[in-house]
Amino acid sequence: MTDPITEARQRAEGLKAAIRSFYDGVMPVDLKRKSRLHQVLDKDDYVRWMRLLNDQGWAVGHWPKEYGGQAWSLLERFSFEDQLARLGCPWVIPFGVKYVGPVIYAFGSPEQKARFLPRIATTDDFWAQGYSEPGAGSDLAGLRTEAIRVESSEGDHYVVNGQKVWTTYAQWADWLFCLVKTARGEQAQKSISFLLIDMRSPGVTVKPIPTMDGYHHVNEVWLENVRVPAENLVGAEGEGWTYAKYLLKNERTAGAIVGMAWHALERLKGLAAEAAPASRDRLETRIGELELRFMALEVASYQAVESMMRGTEHGAEASLIKLRGTELYQHIAEAAVDTLGLAGVAWDAAALHAAAPPPLGPEDAGGIVKDHFYNRAATIFGGASEIQRNIVAKGVLGL
Ligand SMILES: Cc1cc2nc3c(=O)[nH]c(=O)nc-3n(C[C@H](O)[C@H](O)[C@H](O)COP(=O)(O)OP(=O)(O)OC[C@H]3O[C@@H](n4cnc5c(N)ncnc54)[C@H](O)[C@@H]3O)c2cc1C
């Protein structure tokens, strides 16, 4: 009998080859160009992208077969995101397919599964994640958004009041999966519930938060007397913490960071090859160091994924990958902006939005700088670096 890891490795290699030929033969030229130049993608681009992935059976490849997935192993799942990112593809928007979808099939009611899962797979519904609040980010136990259950002859419902913050793509979202407090005075973690909120409900207001890359990613979401049918509660009241933790584990196990680092490193090498001869020696040393760190990340990540599959993990693998991967990516991006020289300084967000050439430098100069700005946030979202270090300290060092 073949060892399951060997089988998974073979399937992951097959998947990588299939992604390569999809990229060469199926991916539309305009999407390829936009993502190669790191230009701004709008909602239509992302929906088209997610549907293209779904047409290949990949958007929900990691879901169980009974819900339309392919029951990918963790290795296939990790390699999938890694390979797409190496090719410079847009990211796989995680909120539906990766975050709330698995929570619904693992803990949702049969009605929720039938209603939401097919529309998540096809991106007919666009989802956003309503976890963070002012005062509740790293420590979600500080949540204050309150949902009071009301029994009524027209159907039981919750009345939700509070504010979410940093909600990515809330401006495009049809649905928000949301952590709310359903009890007062209880131990914090026993009072949290997981609600699905229709963004068109009266009382939902989305306010943009401008970011320094000149793009609109994140928002405040205000919830004022929002009426949410009780049937939109996932699982049991007061058990939201369990579902939130399940989701956070999926959030942190991302192969994209390895692929993004690889892609950015390759581009950095290209920029260095065009740099003035006088600065090349210094660049070569810097690139050499980054490349060594990349190799360590790549080996450690795949070893970690395999140990998770074998059940021999120490529990901090996902944190290690997130921590090392995001920090390395930021350092590569800094080196790329330095290498651009004046073209890195003459950055024009308007040109990027208009898909126009940057004021100076190579075609992708504006996109490289935009990504550098945006990715300052990568060591904050999905669990800040300090939090990951705490997890590593506990899991690996036993502190
Ligand atoms: C671009 C972007 C997109 C985001 N998208 C979403 C989204 O779609 N949905 C969503 O719900 N949230 C989202 N977030 C929010 C993100 O998850 C939080 O910003 C993150 O969890 C940190 O929380 P905080 O901002 O409240 O900072 P805090 O938790 O207040 O942390 C502030 C600082 O203190 C440090 N710190 C906190 N606690 C500890 C500790 N115990 N030990 C050591 N250091 C500590 C942190 O590491 C950080 O440096 C997004 C954030 C950004 C920047």
Side-chain angles (χ1 to χ4, degrees):
M1 210 172 79
T2 327
D3 156 44
I5 302 275
T6 310
E7 267 181 24
R9 280 187 198 144
Q10 285 162 354
R11 283 199 304 271
E13 284 308 311
L15 181 58
K16 276 193 199 166
I19 294 170
R20 178 81 241 185
S21 62
F22 159 80
Y23 184 81
D24 291 338
V26 181
M27 187 158 165
V29 174
D30 66 315
L31 259 189
K32 259 192 214 173
R33 180 180 157 77
K34 271 189 169 180
S35 58
R36 182 172 59 79
L37 299 181
H38 311 264
Q39 279 173 350
V40 172
L41 268 64
D42 58 24
K43 181 179 179 181
D44 287 347
D45 289 326
Y46 277 124
V47 170
R48 194 155 54 108
W49 167 240
M50 293 302 291
R51 287 183 180 162
L52 268 172
L53 293 181
N54 196 44
D55 292 344
Q56 320 305 311
W58 296 338
V60 296
H62 54 293
W63 288 13
K65 291 192 174 153
E66 59 180 306
Y67 302 118
Q70 300 194 43
W72 279 347
S73 65
L74 195 55
L75 183 60
E76 288 162 280
R77 186 175 168 164
F78 197 86
S79 306
F80 168 66
E81 290 188 14
D82 179 1
Q83 181 67 3
L84 285 180
R86 281 182 198 231
L87 292 169
C89 292
W91 71 319
V92 180
I93 308 272
F95 304 107
V97 296
K98 203 168 152 187
Y99 297 170
V100 75
V103 169
I104 292 175
Y105 67 63
F107 305 106
S109 65
E111 293 75 24
Q112 287 168 347
K113 291 178 194 176
R115 178 176 178 192
F116 292 113
L117 293 179
R119 294 179 62 84
I120 291 174
T122 54
T123 315
D124 280 319
D125 289 333
F126 204 102
W127 284 81
Q129 176 181 23
Y131 273 28
S132 307
E133 296 181 7
S138 304
D139 183 11
L140 285 171
L143 291 176
R144 278 181 301 180
T145 293
E146 203 172 50
I148 309 281
R149 192 168 174 128
V150 177
E151 292 180 7
S152 108
S153 53
E154 295 157 35
D156 292 359
H157 60 271
Y158 291 92
V159 176
V160 182
N161 278 288
Q163 186 206 338
K164 297 292 169 178
V165 73
W166 308 118
T167 321
T168 302
Y169 302 147
Q171 75 273 26
W172 297 339
D174 303 296
W175 285 88
L176 180 75
F177 58 91
C178 203
L179 293 180
V180 293
K181 289 200 84 166
T182 40
R184 291 200 191 111
E186 297 259 345
Q187 184 202 354
Q189 287 152 5
K190 282 280 154 206
S191 63
I192 293 174
S193 299
F194 197 104
L195 268 192
L196 309 178
I197 300 183
D198 185 338
M199 290 293 279
R200 284 164 299 242
S201 312
V204 177
T205 309
V206 175
K207 297 183 185 169
I209 304 176
T211 45
M212 65 179 171
D213 59 0
Y215 184 37
H216 179 189
H217 310 265
V218 283
N219 303 274
E220 296 175 351
V221 177
W222 292 80
L223 303 159
E224 288 163 290
N225 292 320
V226 179
R227 192 183 157 120
V228 181
E231 70 211 31
N232 289 7
L233 172 77
V234 175
E237 207 172 86
E239 290 298 322
W241 188 249
T242 309
Y243 316 145
K245 276 197 302 190
Y246 173 83
L247 186 149
L248 285 174
K249 201 170 160 200
N250 284 330
E251 186 170 357
R252 284 171 192 164
T253 319
I257 190 61
V258 176
M260 278 168 62
W262 185 88
H263 184 78
L265 193 55
E266 289 302 299
R267 184 64 191 112
L268 173 61
K269 289 182 202 166
L271 290 173
E274 290 155 23
S279 56
R280 264 191 226 142
D281 276 356
R282 211 166 16 90
L283 273 171
E284 270 172 20
T285 310
R286 194 167 175 189
I287 291 171
E289 282 167 10
L290 292 167
E291 190 148 28
L292 276 177
R293 283 169 61 192
F294 173 77
M295 288 159 78
L297 171 75
E298 187 182 41
V299 170
S301 299
Y302 279 91
Q303 278 178 355
V305 168
E306 292 193 4
S307 72
M308 283 189 246
M309 288 170 67
R310 287 196 179 92
T312 54
E313 74 270 36
H314 46 61
E317 283 78 1
S319 294
L320 269 172
I321 300 170
K322 161 90 181 27
L323 179 64
R324 287 291 185 223
T326 48
E327 292 186 351
L328 173 62
Y329 183 80
Q330 288 179 345
H331 292 151
I332 297 172
E334 272 167 23
V337 173
D338 288 348
T339 309
L340 281 174
L342 284 179
V345 180
W347 179 69
D348 180 6
L352 209 59
H353 280 272
L360 276 181
E363 251 191 325
D364 58 352
I368 290 173
V369 180
K370 178 199 87 166
D371 273 14
H372 162 64
F373 284 151
Y374 175 69
N375 277 295
R376 300 310 304 161
T379 43
I380 300 172
F381 58 65
S385 286
E386 292 79 3
I387 302 303
Q388 310 298 355
R389 286 195 170 85
N390 286 349
I391 297 171
V392 172
K394 275 195 199 134
V396 185
L397 308 174
L399 298 175

